[in-house]
């Protein structure tokens, strides 16, 4: 009888321990606050990870319960390196499943359409927690580190949002953005119109960068591309302000003056015919597509409407264009007066 009682007591204790274990595994970890994380480094054992969890204030569960859950789930032998969120509400079972599958914290870096290489590099330096490996490199050394020695960096990185982990570096992001741009450029060039006045994908990239800087309105890009395509065919200078501004470089103070339009630089499309020697910005996919698929028409000129919308007026003759410029100046003056309350 005593033996039976012992067995019953052992069974009851076992059932209680199993229930406690199940409760531990599937109840939210107590005391977590938003923003907490634990990082698994290469070579970490599960015992080391458990110590890190304790260091983060995780008091839930006995060490034996954590080890049993890790063994039962296979996590103890399949830890993936990376940073894992200790989000409020997460359970031990979910956390270990994340560590086993490598569901790490991912950060976002957005490369904005129209950025130049200086703006891109400044944004990368400010991105946290992205590791910095290129900050001390000049542009030439940067391109060499990317495996593209001798290539000009402007326009070579596709504007998109890139995900990265704490262990990634700025060089990792740039490699992906460079590969993405090359793929997008190859696809656009393969889909070009047969009569497009461009000799290579490199020229398409350059034209796309100019289109990108001329308008932020996607629907206008093919029309602007059409203007530039017709000018190239006729041997007319492109006469586009963004190229002049790019040629001024860091000395540009926000205003473009008549003397700037008359000062010859390799990027002044008022003083030189054809495309600029390199892209002037990072064009997006829409601009790439527009560059190789310009819209048909007879417009050779365009000017902003001047109402702050970013839209343009397109003209076929210089007389029409000059009239549009007069309207632009009047609209711009009126808009500024209304904004200032006059």
């Amino acid at each position: 009888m005593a033996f039976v009682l012992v067995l019953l007591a052992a069974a009851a204790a076992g059932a209680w321990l199993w229930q406690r274990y199940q409760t531990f595994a599937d109840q939210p970890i107590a005391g977590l606050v938003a923003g907490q994380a634990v990082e698994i480094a290469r070579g970490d054992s599960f015992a080391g990870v458990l110590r890190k969890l304790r260091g983060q204030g995780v008091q839930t569960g006995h060490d034996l319960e954590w080890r049993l859950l890790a063994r039962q789930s296979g996590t103890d032998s399949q830890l993936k390196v990376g940073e894992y969120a200790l989000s409020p509400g997460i359970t031990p079972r979910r956390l270990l499943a994340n560590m086993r599958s490598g569901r790490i914290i991912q950060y976002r870096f957005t490369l904005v359409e129209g950025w130049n290489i200086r703006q891109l590099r400044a944004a990368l330096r400010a991105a946290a927690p992205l590791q910095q490996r290129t900050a001390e490199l000049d542009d030439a050394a940067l391109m060499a580190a990317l495996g593209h020695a001798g290539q000009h960096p402007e326009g070579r990185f596709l504007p998109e949002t890139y995900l990265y982990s704490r262990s990634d570096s700025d060089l990792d992001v740039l490699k992906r953005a460079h590969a993405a741009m090359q793929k997008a450029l190859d696809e656009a060039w393969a889909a070009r119109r047969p009569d497009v006045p461009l000799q290579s994908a490199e020229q398409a990239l350059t034209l796309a960068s100019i289109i990108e800087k001329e308008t932020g309105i996607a629907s206008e890009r093919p029309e602007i591309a059409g203007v530039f395509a017709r000018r190239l065919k006729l041997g007319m200078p492109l006469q586009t302000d963004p190229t002049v501004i790019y040629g001024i470089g860091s000395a540009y103070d926000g205003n473009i003056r008549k003397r700037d339009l008359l000062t010859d630089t390799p990027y002044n499309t008022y003083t030189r015919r054809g495309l600029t020697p390199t892209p002037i910005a990072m064009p997006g996919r829409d601009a790439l597509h527009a560059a190789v698929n310009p819209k048909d028409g007879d417009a050779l000129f365009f000017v902003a409407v001047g109402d702050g919308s970013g839209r343009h007026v397109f003209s076929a003759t210089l007389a029409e264009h000059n009239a549009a410029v007069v309207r632009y100046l009047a609209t711009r003056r009126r808009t500024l007066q209304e904004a200032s309350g006059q």
Side-chain angles (χ1 to χ4, degrees):
M1 185 65 180
F3 178 70
V4 173
L5 291 175
V6 170
L7 287 178
L8 290 173
W16 178 81
L17 289 172
W18 179 251
Q19 181 60 41
R20 170 177 165 162
Y21 169 73
Q22 290 294 107
T23 300
F24 149 76
D26 295 314
Q27 275 195 346
I29 298 171
L32 297 180
V33 297
Q36 279 186 274
V38 63
E39 187 169 6
I40 298 178
R42 194 172 304 279
D44 275 354
S45 64
F46 183 73
V49 172
L50 185 54
R51 284 194 295 272
K52 290 182 178 181
L53 288 172
R54 297 307 191 196
Q56 287 289 336
V58 174
Q59 300 302 319
T60 296
H62 191 279
D63 285 5
L64 289 175
E65 291 174 316
W66 280 98
R67 291 193 178 98
L68 176 60
L69 183 59
R71 179 171 297 180
Q72 184 185 49
S73 63
T75 306
D76 57 347
S77 60
Q78 299 182 52
L79 288 170
K80 300 293 193 303
V81 172
E83 183 185 22
Y84 295 88
L86 298 178
S87 305
I90 195 169
T91 66
R93 192 186 303 278
R94 181 71 264 166
L95 176 59
L96 295 192
N98 289 347
M99 293 177 176
R100 185 181 69 250
S101 63
R103 190 175 179 182
I104 60 176
I105 297 174
Q106 292 188 309
Y107 300 89
R108 293 174 176 267
F109 176 79
T110 299
L111 200 169
V112 178
E113 293 177 346
W115 270 358
N116 60 36
I117 187 62
R118 294 192 308 274
Q119 291 170 308
L120 169 56
R121 298 196 67 179
L124 283 170
R125 286 193 293 271
L130 193 63
Q131 295 185 26
Q132 301 296 316
R133 291 180 55 190
T134 70
E136 302 303 319
L137 303 180
D138 62 19
D139 287 349
L142 169 66
M143 297 309 291
L146 289 170
H148 301 282
Q151 187 180 74
H152 196 282
E154 199 64 81
R156 294 292 173 176
F157 306 95
L158 186 68
E160 281 188 346
T161 294
Y162 297 90
L163 300 179
Y164 68 91
S165 67
R166 183 176 288 274
S167 62
D168 287 332
S169 72
D170 51 359
L171 198 60
D172 295 319
V173 173
L174 287 173
K175 284 180 179 178
R176 291 166 53 202
H178 188 282
M181 176 57 86
Q182 190 60 56
K183 184 174 185 291
L185 178 59
D186 289 344
E187 291 172 350
W189 185 245
R192 68 190 182 278
R193 283 179 50 159
D195 61 341
V196 68
L198 301 170
Q199 302 303 311
S200 66
E202 300 303 307
Q203 289 190 350
L205 181 63
T206 297
L207 181 56
S209 74
I210 298 173
I211 295 167
E212 187 68 70
K213 293 301 291 184
E214 277 289 5
T215 183
I217 300 177
S219 61
E220 284 193 347
R221 288 177 184 140
E223 196 162 4
I224 287 177
V227 171
F228 289 146
R230 286 184 285 278
R231 281 180 167 256
L232 289 171
K233 287 179 179 179
L234 293 171
M236 295 175 64
L238 296 184
Q239 295 183 322
T240 170
D241 291 356
T243 64
V244 177
I245 293 170
Y246 188 83
I248 296 172
S250 58
Y252 178 62
D253 62 2
N255 295 305
I256 188 167
R257 302 170 178 83
K258 185 176 180 179
R259 68 171 182 268
D260 297 320
L261 302 180
L262 297 175
T263 301
D264 184 53
T265 76
Y267 291 89
N268 190 334
T269 52
Y270 286 84
T271 62
R272 300 194 183 195
R273 299 178 189 274
L275 295 167
T276 52
T278 72
I280 63 169
M282 311 296 169
R285 295 180 188 274
D286 287 346
L288 288 170
H289 180 76
V292 297
N293 291 279
K295 185 177 180 180
D296 289 328
D298 57 3
L300 290 171
F301 307 89
F302 62 89
V303 66
V305 174
D307 60 356
S309 67
R311 294 180 297 111
H312 293 82
V313 175
F314 295 84
S315 304
T317 68
L318 182 58
E320 292 174 351
H321 176 64
N322 287 338
V325 171
V326 171
R327 292 195 300 273
Y328 159 75
L329 293 173
T331 301
R332 180 66 175 161
R333 185 164 50 250
R334 184 170 61 254
T335 301
L336 291 175
Q337 288 174 347
E338 291 173 353
S340 63
Q342 297 179 359

